Amino acid sequence: MRGVAEALPERFGVAEEPLLVRDALADEDAAEDAQWLVVVEDPAGELDPAALDAFADEFGGLLEAE
């Protein structure tokens, strides 16, 4: 997921480096199934959700918004 975090500022011009969070499942034996989250703050709503979704899809991910 480091590739996503490195490509995001280039593609979208975000100033702050995205936060990488590993969301491990409750079962430690399933460590290989842990999900990675790339957290991007956009309080002003300047980032295009459709463009972010397409970007996430390029890396096999999906956009989740609060």
Side-chain angles (χ1 to χ4, degrees):
M1 287 297 103
R2 176 129 327 262
V4 174
E6 291 172 352
L8 194 71
E10 257 180 50
R11 179 88 61 93
F12 294 96
V14 294
E16 292 184 31
E17 184 174 337
L19 175 65
L20 294 176
V21 178
R22 186 168 186 215
D23 186 24
L25 301 173
D27 183 4
E28 288 185 25
D29 293 332
E32 67 274 358
D33 294 331
Q35 296 179 355
W36 284 93
L37 306 173
V38 179
V39 180
V40 179
E41 297 290 333
D42 183 30
E46 297 175 351
L47 299 175
D48 176 17
L52 284 171
D53 190 41
F55 176 76
D57 188 54
E58 290 176 29
F59 291 89
L62 56 93
L63 176 65
E64 291 184 19
E66 286 186 35

